[in-house]
């Protein structure tokens, strides 16, 4: 696991975007896993400024979607991904996949989503944020470390955190579809971005705590190419900050 501590939230977005742009330019990144929420927005901003035919040819897979929210609802992840990713990066909507949270058969929708990832040859790079409780995607604490895309119940703390996107917390759906931890773990590379003090505990648990479903992001300790890209506030509770800086000063790139 690599830990990259940068000086500001803007640098976090820029660093992650440059890694993606390098992969695209090298022809190694054709399938991008995309997250919603605040954390990746700076990445999408930088990518938009560097739009190219290769970037716009990407296939994209969302991490998750609310159950029961009309895809046209402005806060459905189908809408958020359309606004923040598909339109800004100039992707072909046919190449952008979001689990169908309004399907009559949700289990079949999850299986279809997994099949679409397989048909695309897997995800080359997955962007992740992290919840204050250590969730990635919507894999809440005690999610199976081997889980696949499925229905999950959101914790009330997560619904409160996401209430800022809705009129109030009661409008945040209670259920979601999310890529499982096993699904996320199959991405060839993972870039987790975190900014701000509110994420410091979850980041420290994920990087330096035990491998445990109590902190779902700790599953990334098992991933051969996972990088945490952090601002100083998100890194504040890491015990080995000096070591991560020393490691970085000895290498210019991620590989
Ligand atoms: C979003 C997702 C979540 C968020 C996490 C952090 O698709 O799956 O895991 O990444 O809740 O959200 P923000 O970035 O809004 O703090």
């Amino acid at each position: 696991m690599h830990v990259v501590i940068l000086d500001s939230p803007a640098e976090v977005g820029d660093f992650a975007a440059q890694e993606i742009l390098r992969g695209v330019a090298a022809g190694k990144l054709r399938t991008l896993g995309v997250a919603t929420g605040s954390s990746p927005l700076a990445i999408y901003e930088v990518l938009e400024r560097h739009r190219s035919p290769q970037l716009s040819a990407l296939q994209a897979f969302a991490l998750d979607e609310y159950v029961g929210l009309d895809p046209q609802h402005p806060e459905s992840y189908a809408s958020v991904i359309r606004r923040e990713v598909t339109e800004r990066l100039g992707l072909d909507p046919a190449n952008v996949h979001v689990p169908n949270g309004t399907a009559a058969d949700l289990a079949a929708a999850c299986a279809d989503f997994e099949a679409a990832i397989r048909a695309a040859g897997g995800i080359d790079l997955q962007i992740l944020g992290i919840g204050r409780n250590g969730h990635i995607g919507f894999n809440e604490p005690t999610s199976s470390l081997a889980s696949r895309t499925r229905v999950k119940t959101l914790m009330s703390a997560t619904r409160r955190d996401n209430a800022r996107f809705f009129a109030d917390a009661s409008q945040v759906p209670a259920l979601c579809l999310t890529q499982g931890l096993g699904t996320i773990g199959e991405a060839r590379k993972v870039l987790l971005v975190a900014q701000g003090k509110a994420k410091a505990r979850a980041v420290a648990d994920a990087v330096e705590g035990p491998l445990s479903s109590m902190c779902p992001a700790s599953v990334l300790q098992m991933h051969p190419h996972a990088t945490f890209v952090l601002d100083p506030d998100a890194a504040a509770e890491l015990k080995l900050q000096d070591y991560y800086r020393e490691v970085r000063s000895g290498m210019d790139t991620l590989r």
Side-chain angles (χ1 to χ4, degrees), residues 35-40 63-64 77 129-131 135-138 164 199:
T36 55
S38 307
S39 307
L63 274 172
D64 36 26
Y77 285 174
I130 185 169
H135 72 214
I136 51 176
F138 275 142
R164 67 190 193 281
K199 302 296 175 68

Side-chain angles (χ1 to χ4, degrees), residues 78-103:
S79 290
V80 174
I81 293 290
R82 190 182 323 118
R83 267 195 319 271
E84 301 294 346
V85 180
T86 313
E87 290 173 3
R88 299 179 81 173
L89 277 53
L91 306 189
D92 179 346
N95 287 338
V96 180
H97 309 265
V98 181
N100 180 0
T102 54

Side-chain angles (χ1 to χ4, degrees), residues 33-127:
V34 289
T36 55
S38 307
S39 307
L41 291 177
I43 303 177
Y44 304 141
E45 248 176 68
V46 177
L47 292 180
E48 182 180 21
R49 289 204 297 274
H50 291 84
R51 257 170 82 152
S52 66
Q54 272 168 304
L55 188 72
S56 298
L58 283 174
Q59 288 219 57
F61 286 87
L63 274 172
D64 36 26
E65 175 60 292
Y66 293 114
V67 166
L69 208 56
D70 188 286
Q72 298 307 321
H73 185 291
E75 294 309 326
S76 76
Y77 285 174
S79 290
V80 174
I81 293 290
R82 190 182 323 118
R83 267 195 319 271
E84 301 294 346
V85 180
T86 313
E87 290 173 3
R88 299 179 81 173
L89 277 53
L91 306 189
D92 179 346
N95 287 338
V96 180
H97 309 265
V98 181
N100 180 0
T102 54
D105 183 343
L106 292 172
C110 293
D112 289 349
F113 186 74
E114 291 263 344
I117 294 177
R118 277 195 304 278
I123 292 175
D124 292 319
L125 187 147
Q126 176 67 56
I127 300 170

